[in-house]
Amino acid sequence: MKNMLITCSIVVLLAAGACTTSGTDNPPVPTSSERFTTAFNGGDAAGLAKLYTENAVLLPPDARRVEGRQEIQKFWQGAFDAGVTGITIEIVESEARGDTAYETGAYSLKTPGEDGELVPVSGKYIVIWKHGASGQWQLHRDIWNHTPAASEQ
């Protein structure tokens, strides 16, 4: 259960990342999710943290609110240290208005089970992006939760 909580607390977004666009009316996908996936699967907590705004907030399930880039980096590092890996992301919907965009989707990843073997976990997410003066889309708010396995329903 603890591993499941850690896993669910890790997936944000999961379609996260920063990408340069020619205008703010284009949602930051799919390039952003590719950058997030690459950093996540590489265990790069510092790289993931750079994809967020300075005052970004993670809202993981059954866990405290995580505020700011430095705390977000610590959060992701804790997930990697716990053995969470192998994220895939499916973007379901995204839309941008001015300097703000939202994205919803589904994710799957692997986390160590009680016996140490990797266990698949899946869920859904919503992220809010901000388009900054640098021309980069960055994650600003990130919330997710897992989809219970059939045995948990």
Side-chain angles (χ1 to χ4, degrees), residues 5 8-10 58-66 75 142-144:
L5 175 61
C8 293
S9 298
I10 297 176
L58 294 183
L59 301 164
D62 301 322
R64 68 177 180 82
R65 176 183 176 109
V66 181
F75 176 88
D142 190 352
I143 187 168
W144 65 95

Side-chain angles (χ1 to χ4, degrees), residues 51-73:
L51 302 177
Y52 290 83
T53 62
E54 280 294 332
N55 60 344
V57 176
L58 294 183
L59 301 164
D62 301 322
R64 68 177 180 82
R65 176 183 176 109
V66 181
E67 297 184 46
R69 193 178 284 158
Q70 287 183 335
E71 292 301 312
I72 289 170
Q73 181 174 340

Side-chain angles (χ1 to χ4, degrees), residues 3 5 8 16 20 23 27 52-53 55 60 68 80-81 95 110 120 125 137 151:
N3 287 334
L5 175 61
C8 293
T20 303
Y52 290 83
T53 62
N55 60 344
F80 299 141
D81 292 348
E95 185 175 329
K110 295 181 178 131
Y125 70 90
W137 282 101
S151 63

Side-chain angles (χ1 to χ4, degrees), residues 4-15 36 40 61 86-92 104-110 120-126 143-147:
M4 182 68 71
L5 175 61
I6 291 171
T7 299
C8 293
S9 298
I10 297 176
V11 182
V12 226
L13 58 61
L14 296 173
F36 183 89
F40 189 99
I87 196 167
T88 59
I89 295 169
E90 176 189 355
I91 299 164
V92 174
T104 66
Y107 67 88
S108 62
L109 52 76
K110 295 181 178 131
V121 175
S122 62
K124 54 221 170 276
Y125 70 90
I126 185 168
I143 187 168
W144 65 95
N145 56 45
H146 80 286
T147 301

Side-chain angles (χ1 to χ4, degrees), residues 32-56:
S32 57
S33 63
E34 293 168 4
R35 288 183 177 188
F36 183 89
T37 300
T38 299
F40 189 99
N41 290 335
D44 184 3
L48 280 177
K50 289 178 185 174
L51 302 177
Y52 290 83
T53 62
E54 280 294 332
N55 60 344

